[in-house]
Amino acid sequence: GLLRHNWSPATVFVGDTFCYFAGMTFAVVGILGHFSKTLLLFFIPQVINFLLSTPQLFKIVPCPRHRLPAFNAATGLMEPSTFKVKRHEYCWLKSRPNDTVMTNMTVINLFLQIFGPMSEKALCIYLLTFQVICCGFGLIVRYYIAQFFFEQ
């Protein structure tokens, strides 16, 4: 039901409370159902997002309050959100040494960097496709590749 109401143009927006509840529900079901390893493999995009966000989450680089993509009203497209830096700062993270603006470190912004600005609907389809591909990969790892390393 949430996907239906949250599809572009979205009419329902989830917040922290829903995200915490959903995460707790998935964790409880995974633990009680004895498939916590499989569940972790389904969360590959979220793990990638955490690892990508680590420099900002641990304040190694500036972390603005909102790291979601920016909406460009002139073009009607989503663009990566950014934060300002000095030329000599964070050279190890910059793609070009003289940049004074860096893209926020999230999977959503990474997709917009790689594929360019796109509509909210297209971005949603790209991210859902990535999630499905990662879940398929997780199932292959769990049920086909794992048997070579672990006894049944």
Side-chain angles (χ1 to χ4, degrees), residues 77-151:
L77 301 176
M78 305 297 289
E79 297 176 349
S81 60
T82 59
F83 62 96
K84 295 181 189 280
V85 295
K86 296 178 180 157
R87 289 188 195 276
H88 65 279
E89 292 180 314
Y90 315 114
C91 295
W92 53 281
L93 280 174
K94 294 180 184 178
S95 55
R96 292 180 299 264
N98 292 329
D99 283 348
T100 57
V101 174
M102 286 182 59
T103 303
N104 282 307
M105 300 169 194
T106 64
V107 168
I108 299 173
N109 285 317
L110 181 64
F111 266 70
L112 290 169
Q113 275 184 298
I114 294 170
F115 300 111
M118 61 181 81
S119 68
E120 180 184 350
K121 187 174 184 177
L123 179 59
C124 183
I125 290 170
Y126 272 71
L127 291 170
L128 286 173
T129 302
F130 179 61
Q131 181 74 50
V132 168
I133 289 168
C134 287
C135 286
F137 173 75
L139 286 173
I140 289 169
V141 167
R142 176 70 174 102
Y143 291 106
Y144 295 107
I145 297 175
Q147 67 185 349
F148 297 116
F149 300 103
F150 302 104
E151 292 180 27

Side-chain angles (χ1 to χ4, degrees), residues 39-105:
L39 189 63
L40 182 63
L41 290 170
F42 285 169
F43 285 115
I44 291 171
Q46 288 73 23
V47 172
I48 292 170
N49 190 55
F50 172 74
L51 294 174
L52 187 63
S53 298
T54 300
Q56 284 188 308
L57 295 176
F58 292 111
K59 305 289 186 199
I60 297 168
V61 298
C63 183
R65 181 175 168 89
H66 299 288
R67 299 183 309 143
L68 292 174
F71 178 72
N72 185 335
T75 62
L77 301 176
M78 305 297 289
E79 297 176 349
S81 60
T82 59
F83 62 96
K84 295 181 189 280
V85 295
K86 296 178 180 157
R87 289 188 195 276
H88 65 279
E89 292 180 314
Y90 315 114
C91 295
W92 53 281
L93 280 174
K94 294 180 184 178
S95 55
R96 292 180 299 264
N98 292 329
D99 283 348
T100 57
V101 174
M102 286 182 59
T103 303
N104 282 307
M105 300 169 194

